[in-house]
Amino acid sequence: MKIVFFNFFFFFCLLQPCICDDTITRTQSMRDGDLIFSEGKTFAFGFFSLGVSKLRYVGIWYAQISEQTVVWVANRDRPMNDTSGVIRFSSRGNLCIYASVNTRKPLWSTNVSDSIVEPTLVARLSTLGNLVLLDSVTEKGFWESFDHPTDSSLPFMRLGFTRKDGLDRILTSWKSPGDPGSGTFTLRINRTGFPQLILYKGLIPWWRTGSWTGLRWSGAVFQILFVNNQDEVSMTNRVMDASVITRMMVNETGYMQRLTWSAGEKRWNLFWSIPKEECDYYAHCGLNGYCHPASSEACTCLPGFEPKRPRDWLLRDYTGGCSRNNKTSLCREKEGFVKLTHTKIPDTSIASVDLNITLKECEQRCLLNCSCVAYASAYHEGVGGEKGCLTWHGDMLDTRSFLDSGQDLYIRVDREELERWNKTGSLGKRRVIFIVIGLTAALMLLAVISLCFVRKRRKSNRHRRFPTTLPPGSFNISDTLRFEEDQGREWELPLFELNTIATATNNFAFRNKLGEGGFGPVYKGVLENGMEIAVKRLSKNSGQGMEEFKNEVKLISKLQHRNLVRMLGCCVELEEKMLVYEYLPNKSLDYFIFDEEQRAELAWPKRMEIICGIARGILYLHQDSRLRIIHRDLKASNVLLDNEMIPKIADFGMARIFGGNQIRGCTNRVVGT
Ligand SMILES: *[C@@H]1O[C@H](CO)[C@@H](O)[C@H](O)[C@H]1NC(C)=O
Ligand SMILES: *[C@@H]1O[C@H](CO)[C@@H](O)[C@H](O)[C@H]1NC(C)=O
Ligand SMILES: *[C@@H]1O[C@H](CO)[C@@H](O)[C@H](O)[C@H]1NC(C)=O
Ligand SMILES: *[C@@H]1O[C@H](CO)[C@@H](O)[C@H](O)[C@H]1NC(C)=O
Ligand SMILES: *[C@@H]1O[C@H](CO)[C@@H](O)[C@H](O)[C@H]1NC(C)=O
Ligand SMILES: *[C@@H]1O[C@H](CO)[C@@H](O)[C@H](O)[C@H]1NC(C)=O
Ligand SMILES: *[C@@H]1O[C@H](CO)[C@@H](O)[C@H](O)[C@H]1NC(C)=O
Ligand SMILES: *[C@@H]1O[C@H](CO)[C@@H](O)[C@H](O)[C@H]1NC(C)=O
């Protein structure tokens, strides 16, 4: 709330002989209560306080809007304690703030290094809200407040740095709404590598625009002018309509915002605010991760990479990031590039830049350099003209996808990975249709979630019925089920003890039963730590052996998508086989759409979101996951809803896995819906 009421000072102004002009001359001074206005009275410059505080600051605010808004503060870190402050020129020509008429040492100064001798020196508040020190005769400027912003950027003000005199215009948030002192968050153009605008929390990157591509920041969409030449790198806000009152700011809690004043409603409207989703936060998915905007948990790895600590990823801890999925290094035969569209390209501070070559040459350069892992164009020129070359030579950070903005990124992959991508990429939609038609097809049967065939009954099956009472402590198995993978890599999935599950579900009490799937009952449980789970207990005569079960668990634990129900682990003890899932409180979709009353709760926009969510889940199964899976039983009752009504596809009991390159198949048996 940077709301300050100034009526008092307007009143003051009428009584006192004050400077009611837009300039202070070299011989004049301003007392607390004096104001100067820009021509047209858009902005005012003078002393102010915030809220109930008695501290006095000097700054610039909008003179004509009712909710008074401070856009610049001179002495932000050194306020005055009372109203005896004064503004006047020092003998060397700096505009200074003194605590009182008699103090010699200024609280704040424009700090122009060379003495200004011009007698016609004035400070003038421009119509844009810029306080400028200039020679009123020659109009030669010496200093301007636009070069020393606080937390707000006004139209036509530049952010960024000059290459010669070391000027760096950065926005620094206030400490709190009542304290304009220098806060934690800063917004600046980082000059390392290829320049990009970064919002920092202290020294840590918080949000990154992405690089300038000539059209717009490849991340954000707003009207700005970008300059990158031998003199400076800067961006300027542009307004198309001068009557629009708008400002951009970094607020106290780390959001970069654009606000516009609504004269009708008499308030500031938030035009946009960033960061707004998980993917916006810097490096949310860790090293070599790839963040998808539609979801807060949609971290995947860049092509050719896989999670370094898969188990952490299951628990949504992505900090470990991704490492190359084939340990042999790059730079072998027939390598190529996977093209990712609509991306925020990785942090360019670690990129190599050459503005003078084409994208084609860039590809060649990257391919010939064994350390090069990705490339992208540096800027756009003309229609479709991708120019310049950015190459990355190590881990890539903070890559994400956008729905409709962003630029193309080319990731270097080996031949195997390339083939995999070529298949998914080029066949596109037709492929999906083929797969849907191919519902009647078969290669190998994957009964992923609720399937339980026991082909080989274990000898140890001593006709124990479960649940009865569990002898305490009799079920000790290691914490983790380890699956040996090809090349000796391991996939880990948490293994729950039967005891734990039995306790959580009150010994599989009837009142805990959520329903009965095709392959066994589902129970609701609460773990000791309070986490709610859903337990799918495979019936014993499901004809499935241990190897197959393990295989299935392994497969499904690799599926990760915001629109698929998430598996937390499994339980294999005695003849029991159980799968443990996240519990979703909002039941399933059929509960809503087939019920007269519940139906009304689902507004059309929400339904649309749900439909899109299901479609994304299916697209992932069919095309984007590492396995190619057909659900075969997609219906409203198999779509669960979480507490935000985000749909999650469940019940893979009839699902089938397809060969990676298979696009159709046949079956004689018709199942599911
Ligand atoms: C305001 O008061 C504080 C505490 O009494 C003192 O430390 C500070 O120097 C004063 N500031 C000015 C400008 O007099
Ligand atoms: C004035 O500028 C000098 C260097 O140009 C710097 O060291 C000093 O801290 C500045 N003083 C203020 C009050 O900004
Ligand atoms: C720019 O980014 C690099 C790499 O992230 C960092 O080391 C450097 O300190 C940053 N520079 C500024 C001025 O923030
Ligand atoms: C900063 O902006 C965010 C997003 O608009 C808002 O949620 C938050 O309350 C703001 N912080 C302050 C201190 O105004
Ligand atoms: C890793 O690369 C080698 C050599 O090209 C290849 O034989 C192997 O199949 C690759 N492994 C994977 C998992 O892609
Ligand atoms: C860019 O390339 C052209 C032709 O290849 C060359 O004439 C020019 O000097 C280069 N410019 C820079 C800055 O390297
Ligand atoms: C590969 O690119 C890096 C970064 O531009 C450079 O330092 C290195 O010399 C290049 N290596 C070769 C073999 O060209
Ligand atoms: C992948 O597709 C591209 C073009 O679509 C083609 O040039 C390349 O040879 C293909 N690579 C493989 C390994 O199939």
Side-chain angles (χ1 to χ4, degrees):
M1 275 187 303
K2 291 178 199 170
I3 308 167
V4 191
F5 294 96
F6 291 89
N7 298 349
F8 175 64
F9 299 113
F10 289 117
F11 178 64
F12 228 103
C13 204
L14 293 175
L15 297 183
Q16 296 224 336
C18 74
I19 316 163
C20 286
D21 197 357
D22 64 350
T23 50
I24 316 165
T25 64
R26 193 158 187 160
T27 51
Q28 280 175 319
S29 66
M30 275 177 78
R31 297 285 193 101
D32 196 326
D34 292 346
L35 293 171
I36 62 170
F37 294 98
S38 65
E39 201 186 313
K41 290 214 161 141
T42 311
F43 293 97
F45 169 79
F47 295 80
F48 67 91
S49 291
L50 291 164
V52 294
S53 164
K54 291 233 161 44
L55 297 176
R56 302 295 288 164
Y57 296 91
V58 170
I60 298 171
W61 59 89
Y62 292 96
Q64 293 193 335
I65 63 184
S66 48
E67 186 178 321
Q68 295 278 2
T69 310
V70 176
V71 293
W72 183 74
V73 189
N75 56 331
R76 64 186 304 181
D77 293 310
R78 299 194 65 192
M80 284 148 289
N81 293 326
D82 51 38
T83 54
S84 52
V86 59
I87 304 168
R88 64 163 186 263
F89 281 95
S90 73
S91 53
R92 295 183 68 232
N94 277 311
L95 190 66
C96 297
I97 302 170
Y98 299 91
S100 71
V101 183
N102 300 321
T103 29
R104 298 195 56 85
K105 202 168 174 300
L107 278 178
W108 175 88
S109 153
T110 51
N111 206 16
V112 181
S113 51
D114 299 326
S115 282
I116 304 168
V117 293
E118 283 80 351
T120 44
L121 178 71
V122 296
R124 176 180 294 156
L125 185 58
S126 85
T127 50
L128 297 173
N130 189 9
L131 185 71
V132 188
L133 249 57
L134 78 171
D135 182 338
S136 59
V137 177
T138 61
E139 298 276 312
K140 180 185 174 208
F142 299 96
W143 181 93
E144 55 185 298
S145 64
F146 271 19
D147 281 344
H148 305 272
T150 51
D151 70 334
S152 300
S153 172
L154 296 173
F156 302 103
M157 176 167 150
R158 276 178 293 189
L159 283 182
F161 57 89
T162 55
R163 296 193 194 272
K164 289 203 189 81
D165 54 14
L167 182 67
D168 196 359
R169 307 177 198 92
I170 68 178
L171 297 185
T172 307
S173 67
W174 287 20
K175 276 196 175 119
S176 72
D179 182 355
S182 304
T184 326
F185 294 92
T186 54
L187 182 74
R188 66 199 317 162
I189 294 182
N190 184 313
R191 64 185 82 203
T192 318
F194 192 59
Q196 54 189 343
L197 188 67
I198 301 183
L199 178 62
Y200 290 92
K201 179 181 190 178
L203 295 172
I204 303 160
W206 191 246
W207 171 77
R208 192 174 63 93
T209 45
S211 297
W212 175 251
T213 63
L215 297 173
R216 55 194 173 191
W217 294 88
S218 63
V221 189
F222 41 93
Q223 290 286 346
I224 50 159
L225 186 70
F226 183 77
V227 174
N228 183 0
N229 57 28
Q230 64 264 46
D231 297 328
E232 64 171 342
V233 177
S234 72
M235 65 162 261
T236 313
N237 270 302
R238 258 196 296 203
V239 277
M240 297 303 149
D241 177 353
S243 70
V244 176
I245 298 179
T246 173
R247 67 199 163 102
M248 195 183 81
M249 67 172 294
V250 175
N251 88 0
E252 296 80 2
T253 44
Y255 291 86
M256 177 179 164
Q257 306 180 312
R258 168 167 320 263
L259 301 128
T260 49
W261 177 254
S262 162
E265 295 169 76
K266 294 211 185 319
R267 65 185 183 96
W268 287 100
N269 284 329
L270 190 60
F271 195 59
W272 52 249
S273 174
I274 299 175
K276 70 173 194 289
E277 53 199 10
E278 291 294 320
C279 286
D280 282 333
Y281 291 97
Y282 184 80
H284 178 65
C285 294
L287 290 178
N288 305 307
Y290 188 38
C291 201
H292 298 276
S295 156
S296 59
E297 57 211 53
C299 280
T300 56
C301 292
L302 287 169
F305 292 86
E306 64 185 11
K308 217 177 259 174
R309 297 198 298 262
R311 191 176 168 177
D312 289 355
W313 278 52
L314 282 178
L315 304 171
R316 292 179 219 189
D317 171 6
Y318 306 115
T319 46
C322 306
S323 52
R324 238 175 232 293
N325 61 10
N326 201 331
K327 294 210 176 60
T328 44
S329 59
L330 282 176
C331 234
R332 286 174 295 134
E333 280 194 336
K334 292 191 184 150
E335 279 176 354
F337 294 93
V338 167
K339 176 180 175 179
L340 302 177
T341 57
H342 297 308
T343 70
K344 180 199 272 187
I345 56 175
D347 192 337
T348 54
S349 65
I350 46 171
S352 300
V353 194
D354 188 340
L355 297 178
N356 205 20
I357 63 173
T358 66
L359 198 60
K360 202 73 211 152
E361 291 165 324
C362 191
E363 175 176 0
Q364 282 313 309
R365 179 176 293 187
C366 186
L367 211 51
L368 292 175
N369 186 328
C370 284
S371 70
C372 180
V373 293
Y375 74 93
S377 70
Y379 63 101
H380 283 254
E381 204 174 62
V383 181
E386 289 191 292
K387 301 276 167 59
C389 178
L390 297 172
T391 54
W392 285 265
H393 299 264
D395 288 320
M396 289 167 277
L397 266 173
D398 196 35
T399 318
R400 61 161 290 182
S401 67
F402 291 105
L403 289 178
D404 52 9
S405 57
Q407 70 177 102
D408 296 341
L409 172 67
Y410 302 84
I411 308 275
R412 183 184 199 151
V413 292
D414 62 19
R415 186 163 42 86
E416 293 80 18
E417 189 72 31
L418 193 61
E419 276 165 9
R420 226 169 324 194
W421 276 83
N422 263 9
K423 270 168 227 143
T424 42
S426 55
L427 286 169
K429 284 181 200 155
R430 258 176 48 205
R431 175 177 189 81
V432 178
I433 295 166
F434 273 130
I435 290 177
V436 173
I437 293 166
L439 266 179
T440 48
L443 261 197
M444 44 186 270
L445 179 72
L446 171 75
V448 186
I449 291 182
S450 60
L451 174 90
C452 5
F453 301 112
V454 180
R455 207 174 292 152
K456 282 182 276 176
R457 288 232 173 150
R458 286 209 266 147
K459 293 239 169 83
S460 64
N461 185 346
R462 298 193 189 101
H463 313 289
R464 246 193 108 200
R465 295 231 32 108
F466 203 83
T468 44
T469 46
L470 290 167
S474 57
F475 306 101
N476 298 323
I477 300 191
S478 66
D479 288 341
T480 318
L481 195 57
R482 277 167 181 268
F483 296 111
E484 290 283 318
E485 281 206 332
D486 39 332
Q487 303 197 328
R489 279 172 295 132
E490 280 177 345
W491 189 271
E492 296 181 346
L493 186 73
L495 190 68
F496 289 85
E497 284 193 10
L498 187 51
N499 258 348
T500 313
I501 306 254
T503 310
T505 57
N506 294 316
N507 271 340
F508 303 93
F510 183 74
R511 72 186 132 86
N512 281 49
K513 194 160 156 180
L514 293 170
E516 184 94 31
F519 298 91
V522 185
Y523 297 90
K524 183 185 171 178
V526 183
L527 295 177
E528 247 166 41
N529 65 7
M531 186 181 188
E532 293 182 311
I533 53 171
V535 180
K536 191 162 261 180
R537 192 171 175 208
L538 307 190
S539 57
K540 293 180 194 105
N541 47 1
S542 61
Q544 206 190 15
M546 189 60 194
E547 279 314 302
E548 288 127 308
F549 174 77
K550 264 165 71 171
N551 191 41
E552 278 163 14
V553 171
K554 184 172 87 178
L555 291 176
I556 195 177
S557 66
K558 283 189 196 175
L559 294 179
Q560 261 200 63
H561 193 270
R562 161 183 162 94
N563 299 113
L564 300 185
V565 71
R566 206 159 59 93
M567 183 153 79
L568 302 173
C570 62
C571 170
V572 194
E573 280 184 34
L574 303 180
E575 70 266 45
E576 288 289 334
K577 291 197 215 61
M578 285 176 279
L579 298 169
V580 181
Y581 294 94
E582 63 180 333
Y583 172 72
L584 299 169
N586 271 335
K587 308 213 163 105
S588 48
L589 190 55
D590 61 343
Y591 173 77
F592 283 92
I593 56 180
F594 299 135
D595 183 276
E596 209 63 66
E597 267 176 49
Q598 299 295 335
R599 191 180 296 169
E601 304 234 349
L602 273 191
W604 285 108
K606 198 83 225 170
R607 292 179 186 220
M608 185 66 188
E609 274 174 36
I610 292 174
I611 290 168
C612 290
I614 299 170
R616 277 194 295 269
I618 290 294
L619 184 65
Y620 172 77
L621 289 176
H622 286 186
Q623 187 172 311
D624 293 340
S625 74
R626 295 211 261 150
L627 312 164
R628 204 158 292 282
I629 285 165
I630 296 179
H631 186 280
R632 302 212 305 169
D633 200 12
L634 190 65
K635 55 186 176 188
S637 62
N638 282 343
V639 174
L640 307 182
L641 297 165
D642 75 6
N643 52 1
E644 284 165 18
M645 299 296 278
I646 291 165
K648 313 254 182 188
I649 299 169
D651 209 329
F652 287 67
M654 289 182 192
R656 260 161 203 261
I657 185 164
F658 272 56
N661 50 6
Q662 192 189 1
I663 56 165
R664 58 190 309 168
C666 295
T667 184
N668 295 325
R669 210 161 68 91
V670 177
V671 297
T673 40

